[in-house]
Amino acid sequence: MQEQDFYRADPVARWLIDKCQLTPVSLGMLSIVITSGLYLIAATATKTLILHEKHLGLLQDWFAWVWICLLNPVIFGYYLWSFKAIYRLIQYLEQSDIVDTAEAEINLVLLPYQKS
């Protein structure tokens, strides 16, 4: 059983892992750069970087930056991590004597990862 079998059904994951050679951490960091760039361009175009009175501009809104720098990278990183984690978990279970794994049980667990 090869690691590539676990993300073969997802074309986006296959492209990010195989073609772009991204890891979960690098995808998370890249998402910070891309998302913050898009937000800054949009806020500049709409003149909402800094607002006065009761409304907040992008540079004044702490929640937007928590989302950009913390939550967004975690979500993107988890997306790639999940494909590799299931492979490593099954490898660990096969090598350890904790549980007995049968090929049929493994295939049943992997079915969602192998269908497009």
Side-chain angles (χ1 to χ4, degrees), residues 24-115:
V25 173
S26 61
L27 181 62
M29 296 304 220
L30 186 62
S31 77
I32 292 173
V33 172
I34 292 172
T35 306
S36 61
L38 289 174
Y39 275 43
L40 288 169
I41 289 169
T44 303
T46 58
K47 295 181 175 52
T48 56
L49 279 174
I50 298 176
L51 296 175
H52 302 289
E53 299 170 14
K54 63 180 179 179
H55 299 288
L56 294 175
L58 178 63
L59 297 178
Q60 300 161 313
D61 187 9
W62 63 270
F63 182 75
W65 292 102
V66 168
W67 182 263
I68 292 169
C69 296
L70 200 67
L71 300 175
N72 199 35
V74 168
I75 292 168
F76 277 91
Y78 176 77
Y79 172 71
L80 276 192
W81 173 83
S82 67
F83 289 102
K84 295 195 175 242
I86 190 73
Y87 174 73
R88 290 188 186 123
L89 174 65
I90 290 173
Q91 258 187 337
Y92 173 74
L93 290 174
E94 286 178 341
Q95 292 171 355
S96 70
D97 291 331
I98 298 172
V99 293
D100 292 327
T101 55
E103 195 69 31
E105 292 173 325
I106 292 173
N107 290 334
L108 184 63
V109 170
L110 297 179
L111 195 59
Y113 290 92
Q114 295 172 342
K115 286 187 179 178

